[in-house]
């Protein structure tokens, strides 16, 4: 039980981290050249390659968490950072300082309020490793690998698209319902993560500096 | 000649019965633990019971190497799964083990009794507010799904706290979900057997099963991986098998050499066969006696016992050496019997010191040797002559054979010179006189010991060496004391005097502590009020914490947790290994990891001023134990010598003669000690025990050298016989001295040197050939 939920939470955290890294990697001011010529087909391959274009070191986020335990959503704000090749960081600044770092195969968690630093190895969770690798494939533009791990559905067009991922693996399905990315061109605007029990979190991303 | 018929027939019949008994009824044990002493102090008894049945003795460390890390991980997963299905194994750890439902239920149900953080303040408004804020953090964090489920029933996070404090040791690094060395060259597993690490047979079958499962797992993955097993049980099996194999192999080589030598000396196969009659009778009788007295015979006793009983072979040799065509065997026997009888008696006294040493291994050996010796002598006296036909003369000793050089004057001078040299070597040698380290007696190679250390470090498995021992009349008493010790140990861990520790009270709080926690739990109304105040302004759903309120209420009157609560869980085994009854008391042992300075730690623990809490260095303690037995054996050796001197005085009726018989032996012992020390070998219990054998041999030589014999021919025959005896003994033990096993080497070296020195000194110091009376 404990192990199961832990895995799920880690998967979710890694999903967020990795997906936001992609967001951080987009460059809104220099859209990819293809965007000038509208094309009939907007494929995952194209999306992956335009997400891959260019890299920004950090992006600001605001995340709303909806839980059945709560009467209203709780909000967190902070910065996402990506340092090539594989360091990803979610730095929560409000309401209290918390940091999650995925570096290589290790997740580091720091909390100011709890005064703890914990290191969790991705290797503890082989299932999770699959997710990470899938996401890394995304970062490096390997759409084929992404499709192997997720059922993918891309809707909309280049200017306004929504990518929905559902884990193919039955074990993954018990931990995660879906991840939905929405964005425009090579930029991700928001990420919605839905858990099987109906709880969800919505993260909005914007370029800029931390408050 | 009816005697010539019925005596051998009777012997054959008895021997057949004896052999039948030995082959069908005798239980030959191989558990090394059976040979361990009981211990004379409480600490020693504890040490020995730990060694026999303790957790650290039951751990097997496994390493798989020689394949890429991905394949090693696959093999480890498969191996772990198949080992967990084996009922002979308790805990199987490779990084994938999880808590069972039963354990989760215990922890969740008794969280307010088990958690170290439960105090009255824990449920105040301000503490609750802090806890609720943290839960909000949790819910908005990516770790939310981990916490979410437990928030309504456990908003203060007790279960998480218990889980964290229970995983008290740093696990190895992981790769693909399984434990692996930091450089990813070795996948690591740890297995706990239910049987003692010293039960070599049971251990061996488990090791075989592990190897077989590994081969299944490895062959299905197709990787060329190797499996390395280590740990006390593995070593026990290896030591056992090595000793057995080497004892038997060397005995076979030695026996072959002796038989060949006898054949060359007497040129009669018949004689060689006849000489086997006393020794074989002695071995069978000795084994039956040991079985009757101890209830079992240890394999190692049999191996060593046969070597010790090699002395018996001297008796038929004496008989045959004195046989002439015109004499009957009975007459010859009658003539040499008084001398032989005295030799047998005094040797038996020497061997019986082993019996009294209080060390089961030596006691078995002593009984086997004494009974075998007496039986062999009696068979030589009464059976053997009946088997020899009238006028059987194995070999005429040539007239050229020197009867005996009259060396006594020059001999004394030579003896004194040798003695002075030996004594000075003994005094001024750099080698320590006594072996202080039991470990040096272990036949394990340094490679294996280092591998074990490395695996232990990588796995973070407890060292077998350092323990904190807490004693008390009842379980409750021990737990209360252990709880008092924990903060001290935490402090030592923080100051890096320790790397870590495990203790029973980490898992099982005393009833006193649990009642204290129950008293700290507020009444439902109070808790509800505090909670309402604390959650003011926070977005928690109304009524969300009802499970928490009723959980705390139930805990106030919940049945206290005790050892039975954990019955049937993995924790039960852990608790049993950390706390157990010892005679009429209860003992908790806390294995300590990474002790920085043992002396410092010992004095720190002493300063706590609690008599029932002790620090025990198992290695130091086992050295002390060994030393105690060595001293006891030495003491017995002294008494044995006194008893021998008394017997000789009665038998020889001459103080001068007693001196002549004993002097070569004492000289020989000094020379042997000097040779051993000069060659850089400190003396151990086993050297001392072998001194007894040397005394036995030396008595035999000295008595025969000092025998009153009429003719030149008689003396030539005695000398010939003694030379044959001496050579056979030196052959047997000389072969043992080449053993790679320290204990066997010690015995062989001591006995071979001793035999040579005894023979030489006895010849040098023997009285002048008496004038024909």
């Amino acid at each position: 039980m404990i192990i199961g939920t832990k895995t799920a939470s880690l998967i979710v955290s890694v999903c967020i981290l990795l997906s936001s890294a992609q967001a951080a990697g987009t460059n809104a001011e220099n859209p990819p050249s293809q965007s000038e010529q509208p094309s009939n087909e907007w494929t995952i391959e194209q999306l992956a390659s335009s997400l891959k274009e260019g890299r920004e070191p950090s992006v600001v986020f605001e995340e709303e968490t909806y839980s059945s335990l709560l009467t209203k959503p709780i909000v967190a704000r902070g910065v996402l950072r990506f340092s090539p090749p594989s360091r990803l960081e979610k730095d929560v600044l409000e309401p209290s300082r918390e940091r999650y770092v995925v570096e290589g195969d290790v997740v580091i968690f720091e909390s100011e309020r709890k005064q703890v630093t914990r290191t969790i190895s991705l290797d503890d969770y082989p299932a999770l490793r699959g997710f990470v690798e899938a996401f890394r494939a995304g970062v490096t533009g390997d759409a084929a690998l992404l499709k192997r791990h997720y059922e993918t559905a891309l809707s909309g067009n280049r200017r306004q698209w929504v990518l929905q991922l559902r884990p193919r693996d039955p074990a993954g399905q018990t931990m995660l319902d879906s991840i939905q990315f929405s964005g425009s061109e090579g930029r991700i605007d928001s990420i919605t993560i839905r858990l099987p029990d109906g709880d969800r979190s919505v993260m909005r991303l914007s370029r800029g500096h931390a408050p | 000649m009816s005697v010539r018929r019925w005596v051998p027939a009777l012997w054959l019949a008895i021997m057949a019965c004896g052999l039948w008994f030995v082959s069908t009824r005798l239980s030959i044990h191989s558990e090394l633990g059976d040979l361990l002493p009981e211990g004379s102090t409480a600490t020693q008894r504890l040490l020995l019971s730990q060694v026999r049945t303790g957790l650290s003795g039951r751990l097997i460390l496994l390493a798989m190497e020689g394949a890429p890390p991905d394949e090693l991980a696959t093999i480890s997963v498969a191996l772990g799964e198949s080992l967990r299905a084996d009922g002979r194994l308790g805990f199987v750890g490779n990084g994938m083990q999880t808590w069972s439902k039963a354990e989760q239920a215990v922890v969740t149900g008794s969280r307010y009794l088990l958690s170290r953080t439960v105090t009255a303040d824990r449920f105040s408004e301000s503490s609750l507010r802090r806890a609720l804020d943290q839960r909000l953090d949790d819910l908005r964090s990516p770790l939310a799904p981990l916490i979410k489920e437990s928030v309504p029933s456990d908003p203060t996070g007790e279960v998480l706290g218990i889980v964290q404090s229970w995983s008290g040791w740093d696990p190895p690094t992981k790769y693909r979900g399984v434990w692996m060395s930091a450089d990813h060259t070795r996948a690591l597993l740890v297995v706990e057997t239910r049987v003692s690490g010293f039960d070599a047979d049971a251990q061996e079958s488990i090791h075989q099963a592990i190897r077989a499962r590994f081969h299944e797992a490895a062959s299905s993955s197709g990787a060329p991986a190797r499996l390395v097993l280590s740990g006390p049980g593995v070593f026990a099996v290896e030591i056992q098998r090595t000793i057995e194999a080497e004892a038997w192999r060397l005995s076979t080589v030695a026996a072959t050499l002796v038989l060949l030598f006898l054949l060359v000396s007497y040129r009669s196969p018949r004689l060689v066969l006849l000489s086997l009659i006393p020794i074989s009778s002695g071995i069978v009788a000795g084994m039956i006696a040991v079985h009757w007295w101890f209830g079992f015979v240890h394999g190692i006793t049999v191996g060593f016992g046969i070597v010790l009983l090699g002395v018996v072979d001297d008796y038929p040799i004496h008989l045959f050496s004195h046989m002439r065509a015109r004499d009957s065997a009975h007459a010859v026997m009658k003539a040499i019997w008084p001398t032989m009888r005295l030799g047998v008696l005094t040797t038996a006294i020497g061997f019986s010191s082993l019996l009294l040493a209080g060390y089961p291994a030596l006691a078995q050996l002593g009984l086997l040797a004494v009974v075998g010796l007496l039986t062999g002598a009696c068979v030589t006296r009464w059976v053997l002559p009946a088997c020899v036909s009238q006028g059987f003369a194995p070999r005429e000793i040539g007239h050229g054979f020197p009867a005996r050089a009259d060396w006594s004057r020059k001999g004394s001078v030579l003896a004194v010179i040798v003695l002075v040299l030996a004594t000075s070597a003994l005094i001024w040698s750099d080698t320590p006189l006594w072996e202080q380290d039991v470990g040096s007696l272990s036949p394990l190679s340094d490679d294996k010991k280092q591998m074990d250390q490395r695996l232990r470090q990588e796995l973070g498995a407890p060292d077998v060496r350092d323990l904190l021992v807490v004693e008390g009349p009842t379980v409750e008493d021990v737990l209360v004391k252990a709880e008092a010790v924990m903060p001290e140990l935490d402090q030592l861990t923080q100051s890096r005097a320790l790397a870590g520790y495990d203790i029973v009270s980490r898992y099982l709080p005393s009833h006193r502590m649990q009642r204290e926690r129950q008293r700290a739990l507020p009444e439902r109304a109070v808790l509800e009020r505090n909670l309402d105040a604390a959650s003011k302004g926070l977005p928690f759903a109304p009524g969300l914490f009802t499970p928490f309120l009723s959980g705390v209420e139930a805990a106030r009157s919940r049945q206290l947790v005790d050892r039975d609560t954990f019955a049937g869980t993995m924790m039960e085994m852990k608790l049993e290994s950390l706390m157990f009854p010892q005679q009429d008391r209860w003992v908790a042992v806390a294995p300590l990891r990474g002790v920085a300075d043992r002396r410092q730690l010992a004095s720190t623990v002493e300063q706590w001023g609690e008599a029932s809490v002790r620090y025990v260095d198992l290695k130091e303690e086992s050295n002390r134990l060994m030393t105690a037995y060595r001293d006891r054996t030495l003491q017995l050796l002294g008494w044995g010598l006194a008893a021998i001197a008394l017997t000789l005085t009665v038998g020889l009726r001459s103080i001068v003669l007693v001196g002549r018989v004993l002097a070569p032996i004492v000289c020989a012992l000094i020379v042997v000690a000097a040779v051993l020390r000069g060659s850089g070998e400190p003396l151990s219990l086993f050297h001392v025990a072998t001194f007894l054998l040397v005394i036995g041999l030396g008595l035999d030589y000295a008595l025969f050298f000092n025998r009153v014999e009429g003719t030149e021919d008689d003396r030539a025959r005695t000398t010939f016989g003694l030379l044959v005896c001496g050579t056979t003994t030196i052959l047997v033990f000389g072969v043992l001295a080449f053993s790679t096993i320290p204990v066997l080497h010690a015995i062989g070296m001591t006995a071979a040197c001793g035999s040579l020195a005894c023979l030489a000194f006895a010849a040098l110091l023997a009285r002048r050939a008496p004038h024909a009376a």
Side-chain angles (χ1 to χ4, degrees), chain B residues 124 255 471 639:
Chain B
S124 68
E471 269 183 272
W639 285 113

Side-chain angles (χ1 to χ4, degrees), chain A residues 1 3 5 9 13 65 69-72 74-76 95-96 98 100 113-114 118 123-124 129 133 197 199, chain B residues 98 104 133-134 136-143 145 148-149 164 174-177 539-542 544:
Chain A
M1 228 27 175
I3 299 302
T5 46
S9 68
S13 68
T65 305
L69 305 187
L70 302 172
T71 49
K72 57 180 188 189
I74 41 178
V75 182
S96 76
E98 270 184 1
Y100 304 83
R113 186 128 73 185
K114 293 183 192 162
R118 225 169 286 153
D123 289 331
D124 284 1
R129 236 185 126 86
E133 273 162 12
D197 65 0
D199 285 1
Chain B
T98 53
Q104 285 175 36
D133 277 338
Q134 286 182 2
L136 276 185
D137 282 351
D138 289 341
L139 287 176
R140 90 179 114 238
S141 82
L143 300 172
K148 196 166 70 181
E149 205 178 356
Q164 275 162 11
K174 282 195 195 176
Y175 178 79
R176 301 241 148 178
F540 287 107
L544 179 67

